[in-house]
Amino acid sequence: KLHIYDDISNETKLIIQNTGSPIEIIVFGATSSIIGDVDRMIEFPYSTIIGGAFTPYSFTPTENLVCDILVVGGGGGGGKFGGGGGAGAILFGTNINLSANSLVSIKVGKGGLGATVNDNGTNGINGENSSITIGLTENIAVGGGGGGTRGFNAIGTTGNAGGSGGGGSHGNSSPQGLGGATNKQTFIGFSSFGNAGGIGKLGTDAPEPSHASAGGGGAGSIGGNASGSGSGTGGGNGGTGKEFISYFGAGVGNSGWFGGGGGGNTYAGAGTRGFGNGGDGLLGGGGNGGFDGGTELSANDGIPNTGGGGGGGKYDDSDSNGGTGGTGYVIIRYRKKSSTSSSLELVNGVINYSVG
């Protein structure tokens, strides 16, 4: 808003204001809303009805827009008797220009399945990438890495690399299950978030918990290392998520949070399970790890539309698989791009008003 006021005559001389919401973008399967005073927002979920590795969308703006954009990769699946899945990477950019009559393409990635078989080293499945293509550049949020599954002869297994890496499994003997690395990508105009998974416990020393696996990495921090043999809680917590409430509100993701890592498994009967998102009750969409012995607790899936990692699965009993990673998400908050003038001169009687 430009307000020109003459403090000699005490009169308003001119008001120039760019008002109103932009033209609504309507895409089948996406959800549109108004946010703030005049901004609009459109949300793109993964469709379980369509299925496949990702759900595609596209649209062409009819006017020039300025946007805040969030892209979340699918979360990794948890390992079996193992580590939590890593969160999908997050790309976040503000004041990004979308040009009128220029195609925008979007992909929203699926979450990875949790591992289902003990002691074979087959980790949870990585989450699928999400992306937004603007002009000639596909900006990719890499899917999270699957959590480690204890290997043949009970050796430790390293979590998969991903947007955030999967947590390492417990191992009775070497090698130790290390955290999967982050292979997040960076793009001009976007901040990129993703971290490595934690390290699983090596050995079976008493007292309980004798076996413990690590948490998957989160968008906000690395996954927690496992601790056991009476010296700690057991499974490592997943890495923390990231919060975007001030941009997109609390009605998206996990109360406005995305990208929490999955917690690692704990065995047996002592300590606590590894919690998703950095600790019990925290947000980000990552699933809690399983707990063997005493009160049996199955691993939790990552929450849909958050990219959270799945929790590390139990050793035995029913429903002992690793948790499935949360699906990815893309959100665009958009507003009209203000038109600008390099120079403006106003003449009123003998008084000149110049802006430029």
Side-chain angles (χ1 to χ4, degrees):
K1 182 190 226 180
L2 173 64
H3 187 169
I4 298 177
Y5 186 79
D6 184 348
D7 59 6
I8 296 176
S9 63
N10 294 319
E11 293 178 335
T12 295
K13 298 300 181 180
L14 180 68
I15 295 176
I16 299 175
Q17 185 172 11
N18 182 21
T19 60
S21 296
I23 297 171
E24 183 179 9
I25 298 170
I26 299 176
V27 180
F28 179 78
T31 301
S32 295
S33 60
I34 291 179
I35 185 169
D37 293 330
V38 295
D39 288 9
R40 289 189 182 274
M41 187 167 77
I42 184 166
E43 305 166 47
F44 300 89
Y46 175 81
S47 172
T48 56
I49 296 173
I50 296 174
F54 62 87
T55 301
Y57 300 91
S58 64
F59 66 91
T60 302
T62 57
E63 58 189 334
N64 294 327
L65 301 172
V66 178
C67 307
D68 305 323
I69 300 176
L70 182 73
V71 184
V72 183
K80 180 72 162 66
F81 194 44
I90 291 178
L91 296 179
F92 175 62
T94 59
N95 297 321
I96 294 175
N97 292 312
L98 297 184
S99 300
N101 304 315
S102 181
L103 179 69
V104 178
S105 298
I106 290 168
K107 298 175 183 176
V108 182
K110 178 182 180 180
L113 296 176
T116 60
V117 180
N118 282 324
D119 292 339
N120 70 350
T122 301
N123 292 350
I125 303 298
N126 283 18
E128 299 289 345
N129 299 343
S130 297
S131 69
I132 183 168
T133 299
I134 303 170
L136 299 177
T137 303
E138 184 180 14
N139 305 279
I140 300 171
V142 178
T149 293
R150 195 173 71 166
F152 293 108
N153 299 317
I155 63 173
T157 303
T158 293
N160 293 347
S164 286
S169 80
H170 170 268
N172 291 18
S173 58
S174 296
Q176 189 168 18
L178 304 178
T182 174
N183 58 9
K184 65 184 179 186
Q185 300 183 28
T186 57
F187 298 91
I188 295 173
F190 287 90
S191 298
S192 181
F193 302 98
N195 290 281
I199 301 172
K201 180 180 178 293
L202 179 63
T204 58
D205 296 339
E208 299 292 351
S210 55
H211 302 62
S213 297
S221 69
I222 63 173
N225 297 336
S227 60
S229 301
S231 63
T233 59
N237 293 333
T240 58
K242 295 287 290 185
E243 173 262 307
F244 297 94
I245 295 172
S246 63
Y247 291 94
F248 307 109
V252 296
N254 183 200
S255 298
W257 290 72
F258 299 83
N265 168 256
T266 299
Y267 179 103
T272 61
R273 68 200 309 194
F275 295 104
N277 316 309
D280 189 15
L282 300 184
L283 304 176
N288 297 329
F291 185 85
D292 286 279
T295 302
E296 300 273 336
L297 299 171
S298 298
N300 298 129
D301 296 337
I303 296 175
N305 305 328
T306 67
K314 297 165 49 189
Y315 182 73
D316 54 18
D317 243 352
S318 61
D319 196 16
S320 60
N321 296 338
T324 296
T327 53
Y329 215 52
V330 174
I331 310 176
I332 302 174
R333 176 174 177 167
Y334 59 100
R335 52 203 166 270
K336 290 181 179 180
K337 184 174 183 179
S338 300
S339 57
T340 59
S341 174
S342 60
S343 178
L344 172 65
E345 185 173 8
L346 309 174
V347 180
N348 184 305
V350 296
I351 303 174
N352 293 345
Y353 305 90
S354 294
V355 179

